[in-house]
Amino acid sequence: MTGDFFAPGSSGMAAPTRKKYIGLTIALGLVTFLVASIFGYYVGFVGDTKTQESRTKSEQDVEDKLDQEEEPFTGTIDYDRSEPENWTVVLDRTLTAAEQKQLSAINPYTSGGMREARAFLTSLGGRTLRFPTTLESNPMAFNNVGTDSTAFTMNLFSKRNTQLSIVGMKAADISCREPSAKSVFVFPSQGEASYAGILYDLTQPDFAPLITDPGKDQARPYFSRKRMDLGGGESPGGFRIEAVTRGKTCTWDIKARYRDANQQTGEVTLKDGKKPFVAEAAPAHPQQLWYVDMSAPTGQNWVPCHEKPENIPCREWLKEHASGTEGQ
């Protein structure tokens, strides 16, 4: 009975044969059980591994999708308010007789004289315009006759986990109008120092922004030589941007083209917050034009060009600015 339970059909066998048969049957059963257990564990392990791989891939796909939904990058700007060595100040009204007398009393060539003059004009509502950077390596790269410059630093940030590169930035949506200034005060430049950054000429259609960094690449198109990497743990990037205009005050945006780690390209419009950038210019024919002439006798350095247009510095300034606005 017992033999038939472990090895059915063994009850009629001889005792020695029945013992061997029963032992073999039990051993075979144990082997079958072990093989089945191992196979079941393997199937479960492989199934869990495949499921884990699928789950990991699905989670990664979700993360990638969320990462791509982040804005590629954003920008903030700070206009350069520092005191330039040489400058032009513009004012939306003419000076009164008393103010003219006060300005003429400031000797621009004494220690601190120009700072005092600029502070006085600023207190009246004057705004400082800069002379453009001198491109020593290739001064003919853009026409700087009669130009005024506005400079700002742009800081760019990306929250994306994957890296992307800015491969192009062009001026866009340029809109120019007559300047609002009525008076212009010029402390003439002998040539401004070069700064590392980008220069835009807003008066030239489809102008390729130029490298202003001192060195062999100066005056070459910026994005033919450089790019900026953001995201993927990269530190925020910054540009010094300079915009040049002639006789017209212009508003404008920047269209920045980028390429991401998946070789996808896109474009982001950069502004001053929600406003366009502004590049102000001196009017070509101001009602009052005061020009600092270092060759004039002491006390007469502030030349009123609106009264003495035949004065050589006055004549040259007026000619340059009139020619600089032709065709605009």
Side-chain angles (χ1 to χ4, degrees):
M1 189 78 174
T2 303
D4 282 341
F5 178 77
F6 289 105
S10 64
S11 58
M13 297 181 181
T17 303
R18 187 169 64 251
K19 288 180 180 180
K20 289 181 180 181
Y21 181 73
I22 292 172
L24 182 62
T25 300
I26 292 172
L28 183 61
L30 288 172
V31 169
T32 301
F33 174 77
L34 288 172
V35 169
S37 297
I38 292 170
F39 180 74
Y41 174 80
Y42 174 76
V43 169
F45 174 78
V46 171
D48 287 345
T49 300
K50 293 292 186 183
T51 301
Q52 180 64 34
E53 289 176 353
S54 177
R55 186 162 55 246
T56 301
K57 184 177 185 304
S58 178
E59 290 172 354
Q60 187 62 53
D61 288 344
V62 171
E63 287 181 8
D64 289 345
K65 183 178 179 181
L66 291 174
D67 193 45
Q68 290 299 307
E69 289 176 356
E70 285 279 3
E71 281 191 273
F73 51 90
T74 56
T76 61
I77 75 162
D78 292 303
Y79 281 98
D80 188 348
R81 310 292 186 188
S82 63
E83 182 177 355
E85 184 177 352
N86 305 91
W87 43 256
T88 299
V89 169
V90 294
L91 184 63
D92 288 344
R93 63 175 179 82
T94 57
L95 295 186
T96 65
E99 290 166 345
Q100 293 180 45
K101 185 177 180 179
Q102 189 172 346
L103 177 66
S104 298
I106 300 173
N107 187 338
Y109 292 105
T110 59
S111 177
M114 287 312 303
R115 179 168 297 176
E116 181 185 354
R118 180 170 175 262
F120 169 64
L121 294 170
T122 300
S123 72
L124 301 178
R127 300 177 298 280
T128 300
L129 309 183
R130 311 180 77 88
F131 287 92
T133 296
T134 299
L135 300 181
E136 297 174 350
S137 298
N138 186 3
M140 301 303 292
F142 82 106
N143 177 16
N144 64 355
V145 173
T147 57
D148 295 296
S149 168
T150 299
F152 57 84
T153 300
M154 173 173 283
N155 297 303
L156 299 173
F157 308 84
S158 177
K159 293 182 180 179
R160 288 194 177 184
N161 295 320
T162 53
Q163 193 179 78
L164 58 85
S165 298
I166 298 176
V167 295
M169 292 172 64
K170 66 179 182 179
D173 301 324
I174 302 171
S175 177
C176 298
R177 62 182 186 276
E178 292 297 324
S180 61
K182 301 292 189 296
S183 300
V184 178
F185 310 84
V186 183
F187 180 43
S189 172
Q190 303 302 315
E192 291 297 296
S194 297
Y195 294 87
I198 308 175
L199 183 143
Y200 290 84
D201 187 342
L202 301 182
T203 69
Q204 300 297 317
D206 300 319
F207 183 83
L210 303 180
I211 297 171
T212 56
D213 307 41
K216 61 182 179 62
D217 287 338
Q218 188 183 72
R220 294 181 180 274
Y222 190 95
F223 288 97
S224 69
R225 294 291 193 278
K226 298 174 179 283
R227 70 179 192 184
M228 176 171 283
D229 295 326
L230 297 170
E234 291 283 344
S235 300
F239 293 105
R240 183 184 190 275
I241 293 177
E242 183 174 354
V244 169
T245 182
R246 298 173 181 80
K248 303 282 186 180
T249 294
C250 301
T251 58
W252 61 297
D253 301 331
I254 291 177
K255 300 287 188 184
R257 187 164 51 88
Y258 69 91
R259 181 179 295 113
D260 64 20
N262 299 316
Q263 298 304 304
Q264 298 295 314
T265 60
E267 194 172 71
V268 171
T269 299
L270 298 171
K271 296 175 175 284
D272 178 8
K274 295 183 179 181
K275 303 177 297 182
F277 309 120
V278 178
E280 188 171 7
H285 304 286
Q287 293 179 25
Q288 286 185 348
L289 172 60
W290 300 85
Y291 194 99
V292 175
D293 183 2
M294 63 180 300
S295 65
T298 301
Q300 301 178 37
N301 299 113
W302 291 96
V303 179
C305 296
H306 48 284
E307 297 175 358
K308 301 178 180 180
E310 73 285 352
N311 183 284
I312 292 177
C314 300
R315 189 167 67 235
E316 290 180 351
W317 190 94
L318 292 166
K319 180 181 177 181
E320 286 180 356
H321 282 73
S323 65
T325 57
E326 289 178 1
Q328 290 192 57

